[in-house]
Short mmCIF file of all heavy atoms in Angstrom, two decimals:
data_model
loop_
_atom_site.label_atom_id
_atom_site.label_comp_id
_atom_site.label_asym_id
_atom_site.label_seq_id
_atom_site.Cartn_x
_atom_site.Cartn_y
_atom_site.Cartn_z
N MET G 3 -58.51 -143.05 -23.88
CA MET G 3 -59.01 -142.94 -25.25
C MET G 3 -60.23 -143.83 -25.41
O MET G 3 -60.11 -145.06 -25.39
CB MET G 3 -57.92 -143.33 -26.24
CG MET G 3 -56.74 -142.37 -26.16
SD MET G 3 -55.49 -142.46 -27.44
CE MET G 3 -56.38 -142.41 -28.94
N PRO G 4 -61.39 -143.25 -25.55
CA PRO G 4 -62.62 -144.05 -25.68
C PRO G 4 -62.66 -144.87 -26.98
O PRO G 4 -62.27 -144.38 -28.04
CB PRO G 4 -63.74 -143.00 -25.69
CG PRO G 4 -63.13 -141.72 -25.27
CD PRO G 4 -61.66 -141.83 -25.52
N ASP G 5 -63.13 -146.10 -26.84
CA ASP G 5 -63.40 -146.96 -27.99
C ASP G 5 -64.91 -147.03 -28.16
O ASP G 5 -65.63 -147.34 -27.21
CB ASP G 5 -62.87 -148.38 -27.74
CG ASP G 5 -61.35 -148.43 -27.77
OD1 ASP G 5 -60.76 -147.90 -28.72
OD2 ASP G 5 -60.76 -149.00 -26.84
N LEU G 6 -65.38 -146.71 -29.35
CA LEU G 6 -66.82 -146.78 -29.60
C LEU G 6 -67.07 -147.58 -30.87
O LEU G 6 -66.15 -147.94 -31.59
CB LEU G 6 -67.43 -145.38 -29.71
CG LEU G 6 -66.85 -144.44 -30.75
CD1 LEU G 6 -67.98 -143.69 -31.44
CD2 LEU G 6 -65.92 -143.46 -30.09
N ILE G 7 -68.33 -147.87 -31.10
CA ILE G 7 -68.75 -148.56 -32.31
C ILE G 7 -69.57 -147.58 -33.13
O ILE G 7 -70.58 -147.07 -32.67
CB ILE G 7 -69.61 -149.81 -31.99
CG1 ILE G 7 -68.87 -150.77 -31.05
CG2 ILE G 7 -70.01 -150.51 -33.29
CD1 ILE G 7 -67.61 -151.37 -31.63
N LEU G 8 -69.11 -147.29 -34.34
CA LEU G 8 -69.80 -146.37 -35.24
C LEU G 8 -70.31 -147.16 -36.44
O LEU G 8 -69.50 -147.66 -37.23
CB LEU G 8 -68.86 -145.25 -35.67
CG LEU G 8 -69.39 -144.28 -36.74
CD1 LEU G 8 -70.67 -143.60 -36.28
CD2 LEU G 8 -68.33 -143.25 -37.08
N ASP G 9 -71.61 -147.29 -36.53
CA ASP G 9 -72.23 -148.06 -37.63
C ASP G 9 -71.57 -149.43 -37.78
O ASP G 9 -71.26 -149.88 -38.89
CB ASP G 9 -72.17 -147.28 -38.94
CG ASP G 9 -73.10 -146.08 -38.95
OD1 ASP G 9 -74.14 -146.13 -38.24
OD2 ASP G 9 -72.81 -145.09 -39.63
N GLY G 10 -71.35 -150.07 -36.64
CA GLY G 10 -70.83 -151.44 -36.64
C GLY G 10 -69.32 -151.57 -36.75
O GLY G 10 -68.81 -152.68 -36.73
N ARG G 11 -68.62 -150.44 -36.85
CA ARG G 11 -67.16 -150.49 -36.96
C ARG G 11 -66.53 -149.88 -35.70
O ARG G 11 -66.99 -148.85 -35.20
CB ARG G 11 -66.69 -149.69 -38.18
CG ARG G 11 -67.19 -150.27 -39.50
CD ARG G 11 -66.59 -149.53 -40.70
NE ARG G 11 -66.54 -148.09 -40.55
CZ ARG G 11 -67.54 -147.27 -40.86
NH1 ARG G 11 -68.67 -147.75 -41.35
NH2 ARG G 11 -67.41 -145.98 -40.69
N ALA G 12 -65.46 -150.51 -35.24
CA ALA G 12 -64.75 -150.01 -34.06
C ALA G 12 -64.01 -148.72 -34.41
O ALA G 12 -63.46 -148.59 -35.51
CB ALA G 12 -63.79 -151.06 -33.55
N LEU G 13 -64.01 -147.80 -33.46
CA LEU G 13 -63.32 -146.52 -33.66
C LEU G 13 -62.76 -146.06 -32.33
O LEU G 13 -63.46 -146.06 -31.32
CB LEU G 13 -64.30 -145.47 -34.21
CG LEU G 13 -63.76 -144.06 -34.41
CD1 LEU G 13 -62.69 -144.05 -35.50
CD2 LEU G 13 -64.89 -143.10 -34.76
N ARG G 14 -61.49 -145.69 -32.30
CA ARG G 14 -60.86 -145.13 -31.10
C ARG G 14 -60.63 -143.65 -31.34
O ARG G 14 -60.08 -143.26 -32.37
CB ARG G 14 -59.53 -145.83 -30.80
CG ARG G 14 -58.81 -145.22 -29.59
CD ARG G 14 -57.63 -146.05 -29.18
NE ARG G 14 -58.13 -147.27 -28.55
CZ ARG G 14 -57.36 -148.30 -28.21
NH1 ARG G 14 -56.07 -148.26 -28.44
NH2 ARG G 14 -57.88 -149.37 -27.65
N VAL G 15 -61.06 -142.84 -30.38
CA VAL G 15 -60.91 -141.39 -30.52
C VAL G 15 -60.21 -140.84 -29.29
O VAL G 15 -60.12 -141.50 -28.25
CB VAL G 15 -62.29 -140.71 -30.69
CG1 VAL G 15 -62.95 -141.15 -31.99
CG2 VAL G 15 -63.20 -140.95 -29.50
N ALA G 16 -59.73 -139.62 -29.38
CA ALA G 16 -59.08 -138.96 -28.25
C ALA G 16 -60.11 -138.58 -27.19
O ALA G 16 -61.28 -138.33 -27.51
CB ALA G 16 -58.36 -137.71 -28.75
N GLU G 17 -59.67 -138.55 -25.96
CA GLU G 17 -60.52 -138.14 -24.85
C GLU G 17 -61.12 -136.76 -25.15
O GLU G 17 -60.41 -135.87 -25.65
CB GLU G 17 -59.68 -138.07 -23.56
CG GLU G 17 -60.44 -138.19 -22.30
CD GLU G 17 -61.00 -139.58 -22.09
OE1 GLU G 17 -60.27 -140.56 -22.30
OE2 GLU G 17 -62.18 -139.67 -21.72
N GLY G 18 -62.41 -136.59 -24.90
CA GLY G 18 -63.05 -135.30 -25.12
C GLY G 18 -63.58 -135.08 -26.52
O GLY G 18 -64.14 -134.02 -26.81
N THR G 19 -63.43 -136.07 -27.39
CA THR G 19 -63.93 -135.94 -28.77
C THR G 19 -65.45 -135.98 -28.77
O THR G 19 -66.06 -136.81 -28.12
CB THR G 19 -63.38 -137.09 -29.64
OG1 THR G 19 -61.96 -137.03 -29.65
CG2 THR G 19 -63.90 -137.01 -31.06
N SER G 20 -66.06 -135.08 -29.50
CA SER G 20 -67.52 -135.11 -29.63
C SER G 20 -67.92 -136.21 -30.62
O SER G 20 -67.12 -136.61 -31.48
CB SER G 20 -68.06 -133.77 -30.12
OG SER G 20 -67.70 -133.58 -31.47
N VAL G 21 -69.15 -136.66 -30.51
CA VAL G 21 -69.63 -137.66 -31.46
C VAL G 21 -69.64 -137.07 -32.87
O VAL G 21 -69.34 -137.76 -33.84
CB VAL G 21 -71.01 -138.20 -31.05
CG1 VAL G 21 -71.59 -139.11 -32.12
CG2 VAL G 21 -70.91 -138.93 -29.71
N ALA G 22 -69.94 -135.78 -33.01
CA ALA G 22 -69.92 -135.14 -34.33
C ALA G 22 -68.53 -135.25 -34.96
O ALA G 22 -68.40 -135.54 -36.15
CB ALA G 22 -70.35 -133.69 -34.23
N ALA G 23 -67.49 -135.03 -34.16
CA ALA G 23 -66.11 -135.16 -34.67
C ALA G 23 -65.82 -136.61 -35.02
O ALA G 23 -65.16 -136.88 -36.03
CB ALA G 23 -65.12 -134.63 -33.65
N ALA G 24 -66.32 -137.53 -34.21
CA ALA G 24 -66.10 -138.95 -34.49
C ALA G 24 -66.75 -139.36 -35.81
O ALA G 24 -66.20 -140.19 -36.54
CB ALA G 24 -66.65 -139.80 -33.35
N LEU G 25 -67.88 -138.75 -36.15
CA LEU G 25 -68.52 -139.05 -37.44
C LEU G 25 -67.59 -138.69 -38.59
O LEU G 25 -67.50 -139.41 -39.59
CB LEU G 25 -69.84 -138.27 -37.58
CG LEU G 25 -70.95 -138.56 -36.58
CD1 LEU G 25 -72.12 -137.62 -36.82
CD2 LEU G 25 -71.39 -140.00 -36.65
N ALA G 26 -66.90 -137.57 -38.45
CA ALA G 26 -65.97 -137.13 -39.50
C ALA G 26 -64.71 -137.99 -39.51
O ALA G 26 -64.17 -138.29 -40.58
CB ALA G 26 -65.61 -135.66 -39.29
N LEU G 27 -64.26 -138.39 -38.32
CA LEU G 27 -63.02 -139.18 -38.22
C LEU G 27 -63.20 -140.60 -38.72
O LEU G 27 -62.32 -141.16 -39.37
CB LEU G 27 -62.54 -139.22 -36.77
CG LEU G 27 -62.01 -137.91 -36.20
CD1 LEU G 27 -61.85 -138.02 -34.68
CD2 LEU G 27 -60.69 -137.57 -36.85
N GLY G 28 -64.36 -141.20 -38.39
CA GLY G 28 -64.50 -142.63 -38.64
C GLY G 28 -65.62 -143.02 -39.59
O GLY G 28 -65.78 -144.21 -39.90
N GLY G 29 -66.37 -142.04 -40.05
CA GLY G 29 -67.48 -142.38 -40.93
C GLY G 29 -67.45 -141.49 -42.17
O GLY G 29 -66.40 -141.01 -42.58
N ASP G 30 -68.63 -141.25 -42.72
CA ASP G 30 -68.70 -140.38 -43.89
C ASP G 30 -69.00 -138.93 -43.50
O ASP G 30 -69.24 -138.10 -44.36
CB ASP G 30 -69.74 -140.91 -44.89
CG ASP G 30 -71.16 -140.93 -44.32
OD1 ASP G 30 -71.33 -140.55 -43.13
OD2 ASP G 30 -72.08 -141.35 -45.04
N GLY G 31 -69.00 -138.68 -42.18
CA GLY G 31 -69.26 -137.33 -41.69
C GLY G 31 -70.73 -137.04 -41.51
O GLY G 31 -71.10 -136.00 -40.97
N CYS G 32 -71.59 -137.95 -41.97
CA CYS G 32 -73.03 -137.74 -41.89
C CYS G 32 -73.59 -138.34 -40.60
O CYS G 32 -73.04 -139.27 -40.03
CB CYS G 32 -73.72 -138.35 -43.10
SG CYS G 32 -73.28 -137.52 -44.64
N SER G 33 -74.73 -137.78 -40.19
CA SER G 33 -75.33 -138.19 -38.93
C SER G 33 -76.61 -139.00 -39.11
O SER G 33 -76.98 -139.77 -38.23
CB SER G 33 -75.64 -136.95 -38.09
OG SER G 33 -76.35 -136.00 -38.86
N ARG G 34 -77.29 -138.81 -40.21
CA ARG G 34 -78.57 -139.50 -40.39
C ARG G 34 -79.00 -139.43 -41.84
O ARG G 34 -78.33 -138.80 -42.67
CB ARG G 34 -79.65 -138.88 -39.50
CG ARG G 34 -79.96 -137.44 -39.86
CD ARG G 34 -80.87 -136.77 -38.84
NE ARG G 34 -81.10 -135.39 -39.22
CZ ARG G 34 -82.12 -134.99 -39.98
NH1 ARG G 34 -83.02 -135.85 -40.42
NH2 ARG G 34 -82.26 -133.73 -40.30
N THR G 35 -80.14 -140.06 -42.14
CA THR G 35 -80.73 -140.00 -43.47
C THR G 35 -82.11 -139.37 -43.34
O THR G 35 -82.90 -139.78 -42.49
CB THR G 35 -80.84 -141.41 -44.07
OG1 THR G 35 -79.53 -142.00 -44.11
CG2 THR G 35 -81.40 -141.37 -45.48
N SER G 36 -82.41 -138.37 -44.17
CA SER G 36 -83.70 -137.69 -44.09
C SER G 36 -84.81 -138.58 -44.64
O SER G 36 -84.54 -139.61 -45.27
CB SER G 36 -83.65 -136.38 -44.90
OG SER G 36 -83.65 -136.67 -46.28
N VAL G 37 -86.05 -138.16 -44.45
CA VAL G 37 -87.18 -138.95 -44.93
C VAL G 37 -87.18 -139.05 -46.45
O VAL G 37 -87.74 -140.00 -47.01
CB VAL G 37 -88.53 -138.37 -44.45
CG1 VAL G 37 -88.68 -138.54 -42.95
CG2 VAL G 37 -88.68 -136.92 -44.85
N SER G 38 -86.53 -138.10 -47.13
CA SER G 38 -86.44 -138.17 -48.59
C SER G 38 -85.19 -138.93 -49.07
O SER G 38 -84.92 -138.99 -50.26
CB SER G 38 -86.44 -136.76 -49.18
OG SER G 38 -85.33 -136.02 -48.70
N GLY G 39 -84.43 -139.49 -48.09
CA GLY G 39 -83.30 -140.34 -48.45
C GLY G 39 -81.96 -139.63 -48.56
O GLY G 39 -80.97 -140.24 -48.93
N GLN G 40 -81.92 -138.33 -48.26
CA GLN G 40 -80.66 -137.60 -48.31
C GLN G 40 -79.88 -137.77 -47.02
O GLN G 40 -80.47 -137.72 -45.93
CB GLN G 40 -80.91 -136.10 -48.53
CG GLN G 40 -81.54 -135.76 -49.85
CD GLN G 40 -81.84 -134.28 -49.94
OE1 GLN G 40 -82.38 -133.68 -49.03
NE2 GLN G 40 -81.46 -133.70 -51.08
N ARG G 41 -78.57 -137.95 -47.14
CA ARG G 41 -77.72 -137.99 -45.96
C ARG G 41 -77.57 -136.58 -45.41
O ARG G 41 -77.42 -135.62 -46.16
CB ARG G 41 -76.35 -138.60 -46.30
CG ARG G 41 -76.43 -140.04 -46.72
CD ARG G 41 -76.74 -140.98 -45.57
NE ARG G 41 -75.55 -141.19 -44.75
CZ ARG G 41 -75.61 -141.57 -43.47
NH1 ARG G 41 -76.76 -141.78 -42.88
NH2 ARG G 41 -74.51 -141.75 -42.80
N ARG G 42 -77.63 -136.45 -44.11
CA ARG G 42 -77.52 -135.16 -43.43
C ARG G 42 -76.30 -135.16 -42.53
O ARG G 42 -75.88 -136.21 -42.05
CB ARG G 42 -78.79 -134.89 -42.59
CG ARG G 42 -80.08 -135.05 -43.36
CD ARG G 42 -80.20 -134.09 -44.48
NE ARG G 42 -80.28 -132.73 -44.00
CZ ARG G 42 -80.53 -131.69 -44.78
NH1 ARG G 42 -80.75 -131.88 -46.06
NH2 ARG G 42 -80.57 -130.49 -44.28
N ALA G 43 -75.74 -133.99 -42.28
CA ALA G 43 -74.51 -133.89 -41.49
C ALA G 43 -74.63 -132.73 -40.50
O ALA G 43 -75.41 -131.80 -40.71
CB ALA G 43 -73.33 -133.67 -42.42
N PRO G 44 -73.82 -132.77 -39.45
CA PRO G 44 -73.80 -131.65 -38.50
C PRO G 44 -73.54 -130.34 -39.22
O PRO G 44 -72.71 -130.28 -40.14
CB PRO G 44 -72.64 -132.02 -37.55
CG PRO G 44 -72.54 -133.50 -37.63
CD PRO G 44 -72.90 -133.85 -39.05
N LEU G 45 -74.22 -129.28 -38.78
CA LEU G 45 -74.08 -127.98 -39.44
C LEU G 45 -73.57 -126.91 -38.47
O LEU G 45 -72.53 -126.33 -38.67
CB LEU G 45 -75.41 -127.57 -40.06
CG LEU G 45 -75.42 -126.23 -40.78
CD1 LEU G 45 -74.49 -126.26 -41.99
CD2 LEU G 45 -76.83 -125.87 -41.22
N CYS G 46 -74.33 -126.67 -37.41
CA CYS G 46 -73.98 -125.54 -36.54
C CYS G 46 -72.92 -125.88 -35.49
O CYS G 46 -72.17 -125.01 -35.07
CB CYS G 46 -75.24 -125.00 -35.87
SG CYS G 46 -75.91 -126.09 -34.59
N GLY G 47 -72.93 -127.11 -35.02
CA GLY G 47 -71.96 -127.51 -34.00
C GLY G 47 -72.25 -126.96 -32.62
O GLY G 47 -71.39 -127.04 -31.74
N MET G 48 -73.45 -126.40 -32.42
CA MET G 48 -73.74 -125.82 -31.10
C MET G 48 -75.17 -126.10 -30.62
O MET G 48 -75.70 -125.35 -29.82
CB MET G 48 -73.46 -124.33 -31.10
CG MET G 48 -74.21 -123.54 -32.12
SD MET G 48 -73.64 -121.83 -32.08
CE MET G 48 -74.79 -121.11 -33.22
N GLY G 49 -75.78 -127.17 -31.11
CA GLY G 49 -77.06 -127.60 -30.56
C GLY G 49 -78.28 -126.88 -31.10
O GLY G 49 -79.37 -127.01 -30.52
N ILE G 50 -78.17 -126.14 -32.17
CA ILE G 50 -79.30 -125.37 -32.69
C ILE G 50 -79.99 -126.05 -33.87
O ILE G 50 -81.21 -126.17 -33.91
CB ILE G 50 -78.83 -123.96 -33.15
CG1 ILE G 50 -78.14 -123.22 -32.01
CG2 ILE G 50 -80.00 -123.15 -33.71
CD1 ILE G 50 -79.02 -122.92 -30.83
N CYS G 51 -79.24 -126.52 -34.85
CA CYS G 51 -79.83 -126.95 -36.13
C CYS G 51 -80.47 -128.34 -36.08
O CYS G 51 -81.31 -128.66 -36.91
CB CYS G 51 -78.79 -126.91 -37.23
SG CYS G 51 -77.54 -128.22 -37.14
N GLN G 52 -80.07 -129.16 -35.14
CA GLN G 52 -80.61 -130.53 -34.99
C GLN G 52 -80.23 -131.47 -36.14
O GLN G 52 -80.75 -132.57 -36.23
CB GLN G 52 -82.14 -130.51 -34.85
CG GLN G 52 -82.68 -129.53 -33.82
CD GLN G 52 -82.46 -130.00 -32.39
OE1 GLN G 52 -82.89 -131.08 -32.04
NE2 GLN G 52 -81.78 -129.20 -31.61
N GLU G 53 -79.36 -131.03 -37.02
CA GLU G 53 -78.96 -131.88 -38.16
C GLU G 53 -78.06 -133.04 -37.74
O GLU G 53 -77.86 -133.97 -38.50
CB GLU G 53 -78.25 -131.05 -39.22
CG GLU G 53 -79.14 -130.07 -39.95
CD GLU G 53 -80.12 -130.76 -40.88
OE1 GLU G 53 -80.09 -131.98 -41.04
OE2 GLU G 53 -80.95 -130.03 -41.46
N CYS G 54 -77.54 -132.99 -36.53
CA CYS G 54 -76.57 -134.00 -36.10
C CYS G 54 -77.21 -135.13 -35.29
O CYS G 54 -76.49 -135.88 -34.64
CB CYS G 54 -75.46 -133.34 -35.30
SG CYS G 54 -76.03 -132.65 -33.74
N ARG G 55 -78.54 -135.25 -35.36
CA ARG G 55 -79.19 -136.31 -34.59
C ARG G 55 -78.66 -137.67 -35.00
O ARG G 55 -78.64 -138.00 -36.19
CB ARG G 55 -80.70 -136.25 -34.78
CG ARG G 55 -81.33 -135.00 -34.22
CD ARG G 55 -82.85 -135.07 -34.25
NE ARG G 55 -83.42 -135.36 -35.55
CZ ARG G 55 -83.75 -134.46 -36.46
NH1 ARG G 55 -83.57 -133.18 -36.21
NH2 ARG G 55 -84.28 -134.82 -37.61
N VAL G 56 -78.26 -138.45 -34.01
CA VAL G 56 -77.81 -139.83 -34.22
C VAL G 56 -78.45 -140.70 -33.15
O VAL G 56 -79.02 -140.20 -32.18
CB VAL G 56 -76.27 -139.96 -34.13
CG1 VAL G 56 -75.57 -139.25 -35.26
CG2 VAL G 56 -75.76 -139.46 -32.79
N THR G 57 -78.35 -141.99 -33.34
CA THR G 57 -78.81 -142.92 -32.31
C THR G 57 -77.60 -143.38 -31.52
O THR G 57 -76.65 -143.92 -32.09
CB THR G 57 -79.53 -144.12 -32.95
OG1 THR G 57 -80.62 -143.64 -33.74
CG2 THR G 57 -80.06 -145.06 -31.87
N ILE G 58 -77.61 -143.09 -30.23
CA ILE G 58 -76.52 -143.49 -29.34
C ILE G 58 -77.10 -144.40 -28.28
O ILE G 58 -77.99 -144.00 -27.52
CB ILE G 58 -75.86 -142.26 -28.68
CG1 ILE G 58 -75.26 -141.34 -29.75
CG2 ILE G 58 -74.80 -142.70 -27.67
CD1 ILE G 58 -74.69 -140.04 -29.21
N ASP G 59 -76.63 -145.63 -28.26
CA ASP G 59 -77.12 -146.62 -27.30
C ASP G 59 -78.65 -146.67 -27.30
O ASP G 59 -79.28 -146.73 -26.24
CB ASP G 59 -76.57 -146.33 -25.90
CG ASP G 59 -75.05 -146.46 -25.85
OD1 ASP G 59 -74.47 -147.22 -26.66
OD2 ASP G 59 -74.43 -145.78 -25.01
N GLY G 60 -79.23 -146.61 -28.51
CA GLY G 60 -80.67 -146.77 -28.67
C GLY G 60 -81.50 -145.52 -28.46
O GLY G 60 -82.72 -145.57 -28.57
N ARG G 61 -80.86 -144.38 -28.16
CA ARG G 61 -81.62 -143.15 -27.94
C ARG G 61 -81.14 -142.06 -28.88
O ARG G 61 -79.95 -141.97 -29.19
CB ARG G 61 -81.44 -142.68 -26.48
CG ARG G 61 -81.89 -143.75 -25.50
CD ARG G 61 -81.73 -143.29 -24.09
NE ARG G 61 -82.68 -142.22 -23.83
CZ ARG G 61 -82.76 -141.56 -22.69
NH1 ARG G 61 -81.92 -141.83 -21.72
NH2 ARG G 61 -83.65 -140.61 -22.51
N ARG G 62 -82.06 -141.22 -29.34
CA ARG G 62 -81.70 -140.13 -30.24
C ARG G 62 -81.00 -139.04 -29.44
O ARG G 62 -81.49 -138.59 -28.40
CB ARG G 62 -82.95 -139.55 -30.93
CG ARG G 62 -83.67 -140.56 -31.79
CD ARG G 62 -82.83 -141.06 -32.93
NE ARG G 62 -82.91 -140.14 -34.05
CZ ARG G 62 -82.15 -140.24 -35.12
NH1 ARG G 62 -81.28 -141.21 -35.23
NH2 ARG G 62 -82.28 -139.39 -36.09
N ARG G 63 -79.84 -138.61 -29.94
CA ARG G 63 -79.02 -137.59 -29.27
C ARG G 63 -78.44 -136.64 -30.31
O ARG G 63 -78.34 -136.98 -31.49
CB ARG G 63 -77.86 -138.24 -28.53
CG ARG G 63 -78.23 -139.23 -27.47
CD ARG G 63 -78.52 -138.53 -26.19
NE ARG G 63 -78.74 -139.52 -25.14
CZ ARG G 63 -79.40 -139.26 -24.04
NH1 ARG G 63 -79.87 -138.07 -23.83
NH2 ARG G 63 -79.57 -140.19 -23.14
N LEU G 64 -78.01 -135.49 -29.85
CA LEU G 64 -77.29 -134.56 -30.71
C LEU G 64 -75.80 -134.90 -30.65
O LEU G 64 -75.18 -134.83 -29.59
CB LEU G 64 -77.51 -133.12 -30.27
CG LEU G 64 -78.93 -132.59 -30.40
CD1 LEU G 64 -79.00 -131.15 -29.90
CD2 LEU G 64 -79.43 -132.69 -31.84
N ALA G 65 -75.23 -135.24 -31.81
CA ALA G 65 -73.82 -135.63 -31.86
C ALA G 65 -72.89 -134.50 -31.44
O ALA G 65 -71.86 -134.74 -30.82
CB ALA G 65 -73.47 -136.11 -33.27
N CYS G 66 -73.26 -133.26 -31.74
CA CYS G 66 -72.36 -132.15 -31.42
C CYS G 66 -72.36 -131.82 -29.94
O CYS G 66 -71.47 -131.11 -29.47
CB CYS G 66 -72.72 -130.91 -32.25
SG CYS G 66 -74.25 -130.08 -31.75
N GLN G 67 -73.35 -132.31 -29.21
CA GLN G 67 -73.48 -132.00 -27.79
C GLN G 67 -73.14 -133.20 -26.91
O GLN G 67 -73.38 -133.18 -25.70
CB GLN G 67 -74.90 -131.52 -27.48
CG GLN G 67 -75.31 -130.28 -28.25
CD GLN G 67 -74.45 -129.08 -27.89
OE1 GLN G 67 -74.39 -128.68 -26.74
NE2 GLN G 67 -73.76 -128.54 -28.88
N THR G 68 -72.59 -134.25 -27.52
CA THR G 68 -72.32 -135.49 -26.78
C THR G 68 -70.87 -135.87 -26.94
O THR G 68 -70.36 -135.95 -28.06
CB THR G 68 -73.21 -136.63 -27.34
OG1 THR G 68 -74.58 -136.20 -27.33
CG2 THR G 68 -73.07 -137.89 -26.50
N GLN G 69 -70.20 -136.10 -25.82
CA GLN G 69 -68.81 -136.57 -25.87
C GLN G 69 -68.79 -138.09 -26.00
O GLN G 69 -69.64 -138.79 -25.44
CB GLN G 69 -68.06 -136.19 -24.59
CG GLN G 69 -67.60 -134.76 -24.58
CD GLN G 69 -66.61 -134.49 -23.46
OE1 GLN G 69 -66.34 -135.33 -22.63
NE2 GLN G 69 -66.07 -133.29 -23.46
N CYS G 70 -67.81 -138.60 -26.72
CA CYS G 70 -67.64 -140.04 -26.88
C CYS G 70 -67.29 -140.67 -25.54
O CYS G 70 -66.53 -140.11 -24.76
CB CYS G 70 -66.53 -140.33 -27.88
SG CYS G 70 -66.93 -139.80 -29.56
N ARG G 71 -67.88 -141.82 -25.30
CA ARG G 71 -67.59 -142.61 -24.10
C ARG G 71 -67.20 -144.01 -24.53
O ARG G 71 -67.63 -144.50 -25.57
CB ARG G 71 -68.82 -142.71 -23.19
CG ARG G 71 -69.30 -141.43 -22.56
CD ARG G 71 -70.45 -141.71 -21.59
NE ARG G 71 -71.40 -142.70 -22.10
CZ ARG G 71 -72.45 -142.41 -22.87
NH1 ARG G 71 -72.70 -141.17 -23.21
NH2 ARG G 71 -73.25 -143.37 -23.27
N ASP G 72 -66.42 -144.65 -23.70
CA ASP G 72 -65.99 -146.01 -23.97
C ASP G 72 -67.22 -146.93 -24.08
O ASP G 72 -68.12 -146.87 -23.24
CB ASP G 72 -65.07 -146.49 -22.84
CG ASP G 72 -64.08 -147.52 -23.30
OD1 ASP G 72 -63.68 -147.47 -24.48
OD2 ASP G 72 -63.72 -148.37 -22.48
N GLY G 73 -67.26 -147.74 -25.13
CA GLY G 73 -68.35 -148.71 -25.30
C GLY G 73 -69.60 -148.16 -25.96
O GLY G 73 -70.57 -148.88 -26.16
N MET G 74 -69.61 -146.89 -26.28
CA MET G 74 -70.78 -146.23 -26.88
C MET G 74 -71.08 -146.83 -28.26
O MET G 74 -70.16 -147.11 -29.03
CB MET G 74 -70.45 -144.75 -27.01
CG MET G 74 -71.47 -143.88 -27.63
SD MET G 74 -70.84 -142.17 -27.73
CE MET G 74 -71.48 -141.51 -26.21
N GLN G 75 -72.35 -147.05 -28.56
CA GLN G 75 -72.78 -147.54 -29.88
C GLN G 75 -73.48 -146.38 -30.59
O GLN G 75 -74.51 -145.90 -30.13
CB GLN G 75 -73.78 -148.68 -29.71
CG GLN G 75 -73.25 -149.86 -28.94
CD GLN G 75 -72.88 -151.03 -29.81
OE1 GLN G 75 -73.16 -151.02 -31.00
NE2 GLN G 75 -72.27 -152.03 -29.23
N VAL G 76 -72.92 -145.97 -31.72
CA VAL G 76 -73.47 -144.85 -32.48
C VAL G 76 -73.95 -145.36 -33.83
O VAL G 76 -73.22 -146.06 -34.53
CB VAL G 76 -72.41 -143.75 -32.71
CG1 VAL G 76 -72.97 -142.59 -33.49
CG2 VAL G 76 -71.84 -143.28 -31.37
N GLU G 77 -75.18 -145.01 -34.16
CA GLU G 77 -75.76 -145.45 -35.44
C GLU G 77 -76.26 -144.23 -36.20
O GLU G 77 -76.95 -143.38 -35.65
CB GLU G 77 -76.89 -146.42 -35.20
CG GLU G 77 -76.42 -147.73 -34.57
CD GLU G 77 -77.57 -148.52 -33.98
OE1 GLU G 77 -78.68 -148.45 -34.53
OE2 GLU G 77 -77.34 -149.18 -32.97
N THR G 78 -75.90 -144.17 -37.48
CA THR G 78 -76.35 -143.05 -38.32
C THR G 78 -77.33 -143.51 -39.40
O THR G 78 -77.87 -142.67 -40.11
CB THR G 78 -75.15 -142.36 -39.02
OG1 THR G 78 -74.63 -143.25 -40.02
CG2 THR G 78 -74.06 -141.99 -38.05
N ARG G 79 -77.50 -144.80 -39.51
CA ARG G 79 -78.38 -145.32 -40.58
C ARG G 79 -79.60 -145.97 -39.97
O ARG G 79 -79.52 -146.53 -38.89
CB ARG G 79 -77.61 -146.32 -41.42
CG ARG G 79 -76.33 -145.67 -41.97
CD ARG G 79 -75.78 -146.39 -43.16
NE ARG G 79 -74.57 -145.74 -43.61
CZ ARG G 79 -74.50 -144.95 -44.67
NH1 ARG G 79 -75.55 -144.74 -45.42
NH2 ARG G 79 -73.36 -144.40 -45.02
N PRO G 80 -80.74 -145.86 -40.67
CA PRO G 80 -81.95 -146.44 -40.13
C PRO G 80 -81.90 -147.96 -40.01
O PRO G 80 -81.11 -148.59 -40.62
CB PRO G 80 -83.04 -146.01 -41.12
CG PRO G 80 -82.36 -145.45 -42.31
CD PRO G 80 -80.93 -145.24 -41.96
S1 FES P 112 -74.68 -129.65 -35.45
FE1 FES P 112 -76.39 -128.39 -35.17
S2 FES P 112 -77.40 -129.23 -33.43
FE2 FES P 112 -75.59 -130.41 -33.66
#
């Protein structure tokens, strides 16, 4: 069971959980904040819409296309 840090809070998820699912399990379900200040959330779940962009270990990634790993740092806020 991977342990990750989501916006500074510890979260344990089941093996194989996507980061998009972890956002719903341990956060507000949102992945980022738009330039106009609106919170955005995963939409398509299959790598098309790009709404699930998050920062994982300092790099921008698609939450729906990334599985949680032990020690992963996920940030949804600027
Ligand atoms: S939810 Fe659409 S690209 Fe990830």
Side-chain angles (χ1 to χ4, degrees):
M3 296 191 50
D5 289 311
L6 56 138
I7 304 295
L8 174 58
D9 290 331
R11 297 185 318 274
L13 177 66
R14 177 171 288 172
V15 296
E17 203 70 45
T19 300
S20 71
V21 173
L25 297 176
L27 290 168
D30 62 0
C32 294
S33 50
R34 64 189 179 92
T35 302
S36 73
V37 292
S38 61
Q40 295 176 313
R41 295 288 284 157
R42 308 298 294 187
L45 180 64
C46 72
M48 57 185 186
I50 304 296
C51 73
Q52 311 285 304
E53 291 290 356
C54 66
R55 295 188 306 270
V56 292
T57 302
I58 300 175
D59 296 333
R61 302 181 69 183
R62 298 297 276 172
R63 300 275 186 201
L64 294 179
C66 72
Q67 300 297 301
T68 307
Q69 280 193 354
C70 294
R71 294 185 319 273
D72 208 31
M74 178 182 267
Q75 301 256 352
V76 180
E77 295 164 33
T78 70
R79 304 200 181 256

